[in-house]
Amino acid sequence: MRDFKGKAAFITGGASGIGLGLARAFAEAGMKIALADIEGSALTGAVASLKASGTEAIGIECDVADPASYRRAADRALSAFGKVHLLCNNAGVARTGNIWEIAESDWEWTVGVNLLGMIHGLQIFVPHMKAHGEPSHIVSTSSMAGMRPSIAGGPYTATKYAMVGLSEVLANELAGSNIGVSVFCPNNIRSNMPNNGRNRPVRFGGPIDPAKDPHAAAHIATMSERNRGGMDPLEAGQRVKRGIENDRLFIFSHADERGIIADRFNRILSAFDDVTAFAPATTPRRSATAG
Ligand SMILES: NC(=O)c1ccc[n+]([C@@H]2O[C@H](COP(=O)([O-])OP(=O)(O)OC[C@H]3O[C@@H](n4cnc5c(N)ncnc54)[C@H](O)[C@@H]3O)[C@@H](O)[C@H]2O)c1
C-alpha cells in the first residue's frame, strides 16, 4: 500500500503512545483515523488533537480482548468511513514477574489483549479488505520482546513472539493479494506503557494500584526511567509508514540490538551443527545364539 490519502485506518490502543504516533503519521499522509481504545478519557484528547490538525477522526471505546466489544468498534468505524484499508493491531499490556508467580488472570489479560486482540482484528478486517478489494495493509505492533526474551516478563514475551509468528503466517496466506503484512518490533518508545496496569479490566482483576502492589511500583519506576529516553512516538509512526510503503514484513525502530538478535540466531544455528555432529550409538545386535 503506497497511497494513503483519503483511506481509513483502524488503530487499536490509539489513544496513547505508539498508537497515537501511528495515528499522527497516517493523518499527516491524509488518512481518516479511527482510534479504538479502552481508555475513554485519553481517547477524547487524542481525537481532539487529530481533529485540530484537520484530520477526520473518531474515537471508539473498546476492549480488544472482548470479541463482542471489538465487533461493535469495527462496525462503528465501518459505518463512519465505509471501508478500512489499514489495520494497526497495536493495543498491548504487560505484567512482569516470574512465570510461575504471575496470576492466571494476568496471563489471561496479557494473552487476551496482545494476542487475541490481534486475532479478533484479523478475523474482522481481513475478510472486509478482501471484499472491498482495494490495496490495504495490516501492521501489528509486536516488540523486540518478539525477537528475544524480555525483562517485561513471560506473558509479554510469549505473546509478542506469537504476534511475529502469526504475522509470518498471515503474510504467507495473503501472498499474491493486495493486502500487505508487517510486524513492527520497536525497542524503546516514549509512552504510558510503564503504567499499563491502569487499564486492566475488572474481569482480569481491575486497575493495578501501584500503592498497593510493590512489584508494580518497582516496575513502573524502572520502566519509566528507561522510557523517558525513548524515541518520539511520531517518529515511530513515520518509520512504520515507510516500512509499509516498502512492503517490509519486519519493521524495527532501533538498530542497536542487531548484534543481540544475530547472537540468538547463531545459537539456534549452532544447535543444527549438534544434529550433524551427533552420531547415534548403534545398538549392538543380539546374536541369534546368545542367551
Ligand atoms: N513503548 C515501548 O517502548 C514499546 C516497546 C515495544 C513494544 N511496545 C508495544 O507498543 C504497543 C503500544 O504500547 P505503548 O508503548 O504505546 O503503551 P501505551 O500504554 O502508551 O499505549 C497502549 C494503549 O493500549 C490501550 N489498551 C490497553 N488495553 C486495551 C484493551 N484491552 N483494549 C483496547 N485498548 C487497550 C491503552 O489504553 C493505551 O492507550 C503495545 O503493544 C506495546 O506492547 C511498546
Side-chain angles (χ1 to χ4, degrees):
M1 179 173 160
R2 289 206 166 77
D3 184 15
F4 298 92
K5 203 169 170 51
K7 294 184 167 180
F10 185 92
I11 304 172
T12 69
S16 170
I18 296 176
L20 187 52
L22 291 166
R24 289 169 61 205
F26 293 115
E28 280 176 0
M31 292 194 88
K32 296 176 267 193
I33 307 288
L35 302 178
D37 201 289
I38 202 167
E39 195 170 352
S41 54
L43 262 180
T44 309
V47 170
S49 72
L50 291 171
K51 283 185 169 168
S53 55
T55 300
E56 196 179 334
I58 56 168
I60 311 161
E61 215 169 306
C62 133
D63 177 356
V64 297
D66 172 354
S69 172
Y70 201 128
R71 178 82 253 177
R72 284 192 296 275
D75 286 346
R76 261 207 63 203
L78 293 173
S79 68
F81 298 145
K83 294 172 192 161
V84 163
H85 304 83
L86 174 64
L87 168 64
C88 302
N89 296 307
N90 170 78
V93 294
R95 185 65 157 143
T96 54
N98 290 320
I99 292 167
W100 57 94
E101 289 164 340
I102 293 173
E104 183 78 14
S105 52
D106 279 323
W107 276 96
E108 287 170 357
W109 174 45
T110 316
V111 171
V113 178
N114 300 3
L115 183 55
L116 292 176
M118 172 177 174
I119 293 167
H120 298 150
L122 298 181
Q123 290 191 328
I124 292 171
F125 285 109
V126 173
H128 165 74
M129 289 169 176
K130 279 175 161 280
H132 71 58
E134 295 171 15
S136 299
H137 205 96
I138 295 162
V139 59
S140 303
T141 308
S142 173
S143 171
M144 284 309 291
M147 292 280 136
R148 45 96 181 124
S150 160
I151 54 163
Y156 190 72
T157 304
T159 54
K160 294 300 180 177
Y161 269 66
M163 291 179 76
V164 171
L166 213 52
S167 299
E168 292 186 84
V169 172
L170 185 66
N172 287 343
E173 290 177 350
L174 292 175
S177 78
N178 59 1
I179 308 173
V181 178
S182 301
V183 58
F184 180 40
C185 298
N187 196 350
N188 189 15
I189 315 289
R190 277 198 307 281
S191 76
N192 291 308
M193 185 77 187
N195 189 20
N196 70 90
R198 70 194 186 280
N199 290 319
R200 189 175 64 176
V202 170
R203 72 182 187 287
F204 298 122
I208 298 169
D209 179 357
K212 294 185 188 143
D213 184 332
H215 181 80
H219 169 72
I220 291 172
T222 316
M223 296 307 278
S224 301
E225 178 59 32
R226 179 176 175 271
N227 197 253
R228 266 190 285 280
M231 180 183 283
D232 183 329
L234 174 60
E235 181 183 339
Q238 289 165 340
R239 287 177 181 275
V240 170
K241 177 174 162 283
R242 192 181 58 169
I244 292 174
E245 284 163 340
N246 293 332
D247 204 17
R248 295 281 190 231
L249 175 56
F250 295 103
I251 305 174
F252 294 101
S253 59
H254 295 72
D256 53 355
E257 291 211 9
R258 190 186 176 114
I260 294 172
I261 304 306
D263 283 351
R264 176 170 177 267
F265 283 128
N266 285 335
R267 281 201 305 281
I268 293 169
L269 292 177
S270 73
F272 285 102
D273 297 338
D274 289 348
V275 175
T276 324
F278 180 72
T282 46
T283 316
R285 283 182 164 233
R286 279 166 65 101
S287 152
T289 56

